[in-house]
């Protein structure tokens, strides 16, 4: 079974631009979560999508948004990029909110550099 | 507000020794405590997890000890090997409220196992 696929792996943008990152979950998984990883703040939860609906949201500004498609693939968008948005963005897929631990399987991430 | 505190920040252990990483949480609503292992260039991978109804869980060389009253849990790696050299993250979430996917991570421990 293929793992979580994130594209692109690396991205360089300039301040003020916007960016879209893509995530393909493990086949059969219906829940996708996004995390931001930085040396200063560590791993922080951005949001979770299930059945094309946002279920949970972290404490990030509205510039960070996401969506999920009917095939469970997800995209996240960051508008008006700031230098502080430079980070590794991780996508995690899981079967769905079944009431169990809903184990998260992470992709390798997209490393975004904002210049 | 950091809800999961992790220590130490870095750890050097000799091959064959025991590696111990500690975490403390504040939110008593947390009811799921996983540990993740991350190698450079990779996303975090689930190592072992525990629910608060047990005080210890062992899987191979990895053991989680859980102290509910102290709101602390720790990871013990027995017979540490150079291949265990990675960054380890503790995490916590709330399964009961359907937010199991919203993981709150500790700040990470960089483990180096020397020969």
């Amino acid at each position: 079974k293929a793992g979580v696929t994130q594209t692109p792996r690396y991205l360089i943008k300039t301040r003020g631009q916007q960016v879209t990152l893509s995530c393909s979950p493990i086949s059969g998984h219906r829940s996708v979560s996004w995390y931001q990883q930085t040396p200063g703040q560590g791993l922080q939860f951005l949001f979770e999508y299930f059945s094309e609906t946002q279920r949970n949201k972290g404490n990030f500004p509205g510039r960070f948004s996401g969506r999920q498609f009917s095939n469970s693939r997800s995209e996240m968008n960051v508008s008006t990029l700031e230098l502080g948005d430079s980070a590794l963005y991780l996508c995690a897929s899981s079967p769905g909110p079944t009431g169990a631990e809903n184990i998260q399987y992470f992709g390798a991430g997209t490393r975004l550099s904002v210049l | 507000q950091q809800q999961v505190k992790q220590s130490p920040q870095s750890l050097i252990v000799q091959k064959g020794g025991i590696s111990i990483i500690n975490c403390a949480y504040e939110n008593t609503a947390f009811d799921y405590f996983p540990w993740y292992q991350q190698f450079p260039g990779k996303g975090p991978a689930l190592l072992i997890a525990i629910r608060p109804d047990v005080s210890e869980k062992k899987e191979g060389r990895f053991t989680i000890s859980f102290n509910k009253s102290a709101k602390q849990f720790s990871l013990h790696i027995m017979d540490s090997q150079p291949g265990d050299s990675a960054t380890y993250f503790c995490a916590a979430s709330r399964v009961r409220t359907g937010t199991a996917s919203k993981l709150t991570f500790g700040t990470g421990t960089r483990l180096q196992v020397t020969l």
Side-chain angles (χ1 to χ4, degrees):
Chain A
K1 212 181 226 185
V4 178
T5 304
Q6 292 188 245
T7 56
R9 289 295 311 276
Y10 303 92
L11 210 47
I12 300 175
K13 292 286 187 179
T14 56
R15 277 182 300 174
Q17 287 187 311
Q18 75 166 24
V19 67
T20 299
L21 312 181
S22 179
C23 172
S24 293
I26 292 170
S27 178
H29 284 190
R30 298 170 61 198
S31 174
V32 173
S33 298
W34 289 89
Y35 290 82
Q36 181 194 64
Q37 185 174 22
T38 61
Q41 299 298 316
L43 279 151
Q44 291 187 291
F45 175 82
L46 279 155
F47 28 65
E48 178 199 6
Y49 286 86
F50 174 75
S51 291
E52 303 177 63
T53 301
Q54 188 180 88
R55 291 190 69 246
N56 292 295
K57 189 176 189 304
N59 296 324
F60 279 82
R63 299 186 298 107
F64 292 82
S65 63
R67 60 177 176 168
Q68 186 180 35
F69 302 95
S70 58
N71 62 358
S72 295
R73 191 176 70 84
S74 176
E75 289 181 346
M76 70 162 280
N77 183 278
V78 187
S79 62
T80 319
L81 283 166
E82 301 177 359
L83 295 178
D85 297 333
S86 295
L88 180 67
Y89 289 89
L90 292 159
C91 166
S93 82
S94 57
T98 60
E101 291 87 2
N102 205 23
I103 295 172
Q104 305 285 290
Y105 296 86
F106 284 84
T110 293
R111 185 162 296 281
L112 171 65
S113 296
V114 182
L115 306 178
Chain B
Q1 179 190 8
Q2 183 187 351
Q3 295 190 52
V4 179
K5 294 183 180 180
Q6 184 172 345
S7 62
Q9 192 173 2
S10 62
L11 184 60
I12 300 176
V13 172
Q14 277 197 323
K15 179 183 175 182
I18 303 174
S19 303
I20 302 174
I21 305 171
N22 300 299
C23 283
Y25 62 97
E26 299 168 2
N27 189 344
T28 55
F30 286 143
D31 57 6
Y32 173 61
F33 303 89
W35 283 89
Y36 279 83
Q37 179 189 56
Q38 186 177 27
F39 292 103
K42 304 285 188 181
L46 179 67
L47 201 57
I48 186 172
I50 197 167
R51 299 293 299 272
D53 51 342
V54 297
S55 60
E56 185 174 282
K57 183 174 181 180
K58 184 175 181 179
E59 288 184 2
R61 296 184 295 109
F62 301 93
T63 300
I64 298 179
S65 296
F66 186 83
N67 186 330
K68 189 174 181 178
S69 60
K71 294 187 287 185
Q72 295 176 346
F73 58 109
S74 60
L75 175 70
H76 295 232
I77 306 175
M78 312 299 287
D79 187 26
S80 298
Q81 300 297 312
D84 297 332
S85 297
T87 300
Y88 292 80
F89 294 93
C90 61
S93 69
R94 300 160 60 179
V95 173
R96 278 194 306 272
T97 56
T99 55
S101 299
K102 188 176 180 178
L103 292 167
T104 298
F105 282 90
T107 49
T109 296
R110 184 170 294 182
L111 171 65
Q112 182 183 352
V113 182
T114 61
L115 293 171

